[in-house]
Amino acid sequence: MSFSTFGLSDEIIRAVTECGYTKPTPIQSQAIPAVLAGGDLLAGAQTGTGKTAGFTLPILHRLSDKNTKGPSGGRPPIRALVLVPTRELAAQVEESVRNYGKYLKLNSMIMIGGVNINPQISRLRGRVDILVATPGRLLDHVQQKTLSLSQIEILVLDEADRMLDMGFIRDIKKILALLPKKRQNLLFSATFSDEIQALADNLLDKPAMIEVARRNAITEMVTHVVHPVDRGRKRELLAHLIKQHGWSQVLVFTRTKHGANKLAEFLAANGISSLAIHGNKSQAARTRALAEFKTGSLQVLVATDIAARGIDISELPHVVNFELPNVPEDYVHRIGRTGRAGSEGDAVSLVCIDEHKLLTGIERLIKRELPSVIIAGFEPDPSIKAEPIKNGRGNSPGGSSPARNHSRKQTNNQKPTGKKAVGFGGGYSSGNQSPALRRSGGRGR
Ligand code: AMP
């Protein structure tokens, strides 16, 4: 199949061809005709599947199609709204819209927090056809009456599961109330919890449902390994691995912002160029770190789950879970950063005794055991006892929940249990000792 079979305009095909895409990805093959047909859509797909072009190309076509009824008279209104959970993702999606739409007379705008609102207000005085926004800043504009959403024809909720995880449900509801009743709704989510289902039931009218296998490339192209290690020796082991293997572009995940900072400082002090990105960093600092990392001048980027969400770095070779995520689905999201576009990648997890239950949850979700390798010189000390994990999602007191990470302090309605994952179908339930650690001599609680 080629892009020309969808009936997309020549201008769009030309832009897509210039991007080097020769054939649509599975999500695109299904989403493009469904969106062109004008109905609602519920799509199970995560970053890395090509979902952005999956919704952007048909939206561009519909908005530029002379046969589709557009606005009549006056200043052209905003006609499509793409809501995304993070600033980084907003930047990527808006860039894609501009890229794919470069031969069309449509204008897009990014609207995110962390930057001065005034240039956005000026920009809104000009023509904007497609708005890509994070919910918080969008509502700031609504409050200041600098934005009207009364003529939105197409709404996209991208990474809806993550938006709910980040506590955006109330913001989303407020935004939905501002939109015209008659519109096309597209909901993309990597996982389907009960909350997502409820949102979909509420939002979508007889949606086309598509689901692409959750990047099976994850299992085929990515080498997973667990290194059991004591909690106090993780940083040393990470520095050792980076130096020993000569890794040059490593994305490292920590559970907390503080942990990300401390780790980046430790690595930098050990001669490994490293920066942290998380919600407390200014947008400029986050953008700069990401740019340096992408060009290869920065060896290690340490990120929290939220900050790393949606980051698209082609052919990222190494992802390290310095700490396992509290929510098993986040393991899949994290690993989704590597092994893309047919390239191979490593997913390395440094697992201490406190994290055995988390590992079991992940293995259940992905329905496979992760091979475990003890690194000589870093053997776990059998006398060390497991301790509760204090920081991170799902532990409220003193924790750094995604809702807290976000400046608009929302309630975190994430339930760590009972989530089902698209493609894997596995729910999460905490279990006993991980098979991987059992094999390696690690011990459960
Ligand atoms: P996404 O899942 O939208 O974040 O896209 C992941 C990556 O795949 C991006 O770098 C896109 O540029 C790339 N991509 C999207 N569609 C295609 C395609 N049909 N062929 C090759 N690469 C693509």
Side-chain angles (χ1 to χ4, degrees), residues 46-47 162 190-191 213-216 218-219 222 224 253 305 309 319 321 325 327-338 340 347 361-367 421-424 426:
Q46 68 173 88
T47 304
R162 187 54 50 147
T191 56
R214 181 197 286 263
R215 280 183 44 75
N216 274 331
I218 285 172
T219 48
V222 178
H224 301 248
F253 285 93
D305 288 284
R309 181 70 179 159
V319 168
N321 295 301
V327 178
E329 280 84 354
D330 280 346
Y331 181 84
V332 181
H333 288 308
R334 290 177 176 188
I335 300 317
R337 320 286 114 197
T338 186
R340 289 188 173 194
I362 290 164
E363 290 178 326
R364 286 192 182 167
L365 176 74
I366 65 174
K367 298 205 171 93
V422 175
F424 287 140

Side-chain angles (χ1 to χ4, degrees), residues 83-85 135-136 139 157 159-177 187 193-203 403 406 408-414:
L83 279 180
V84 299
L139 285 173
L157 290 186
E159 306 207 348
D161 51 347
R162 187 54 50 147
M163 281 203 261
L164 298 193
D165 285 354
M166 290 174 73
F168 279 134
I169 187 67
R170 284 176 55 199
D171 285 355
I172 291 172
K173 285 185 175 160
K174 280 188 208 159
I175 294 166
L176 293 180
L187 190 153
S193 60
D194 293 346
E195 287 103 328
I196 288 287
Q197 200 54 56
L199 180 66
D201 290 346
N202 203 11
L203 182 72
H406 189 254
R408 293 176 67 86
K409 304 227 165 48
Q410 302 281 339
T411 336
N412 179 7
N413 55 13
Q414 161 88 25

Side-chain angles (χ1 to χ4, degrees), residues 278-307:
H278 51 66
N280 283 2
K281 296 269 178 183
S282 72
Q283 188 56 39
R286 285 156 73 170
T287 308
R288 195 170 53 240
L290 196 56
E292 284 181 27
F293 187 60
K294 280 188 176 183
T295 58
S297 61
L298 181 68
Q299 203 172 347
V300 178
L301 189 65
V302 187
T304 54
D305 288 284
I306 299 298

Side-chain angles (χ1 to χ4, degrees), residues 259-271:
N261 285 339
K262 298 241 318 196
L263 182 58
E265 281 163 21
F266 173 85
L267 292 174
N270 281 274

Side-chain angles (χ1 to χ4, degrees), residues 377-396:
F378 292 89
E379 295 83 359
D381 175 351
S383 68
I384 294 179
K385 301 269 178 299
E387 287 178 11
I389 295 166
K390 291 199 191 73
N391 292 316
R393 200 187 302 189
N395 294 286
S396 20

Side-chain angles (χ1 to χ4, degrees), residues 16 21-22 39-40 46 93 109 117-119 125 137 160 193 203 221 237 242 258 275 295 317 370 379 402 409 412 426:
V16 165
Y21 306 169
T22 47
D40 285 0
Q46 68 173 88
V93 170
M109 171 181 172
I117 198 167
N118 292 325
R125 292 196 192 105
R137 178 54 65 90
S193 60
L203 182 72
M221 303 300 292
L237 174 57
I242 292 172
H258 180 62
L275 285 173
T295 58
L370 300 177
E379 295 83 359
K409 304 227 165 48
N412 179 7

Side-chain angles (χ1 to χ4, degrees), residues 3 21 23-25 28 46-52 100 312:
F3 280 97
Y21 306 169
K23 64 181 182 46
T25 64
Q28 291 163 0
Q46 68 173 88
T47 304
T49 53
K51 68 183 165 65
T52 314
Y100 303 143
D312 177 28

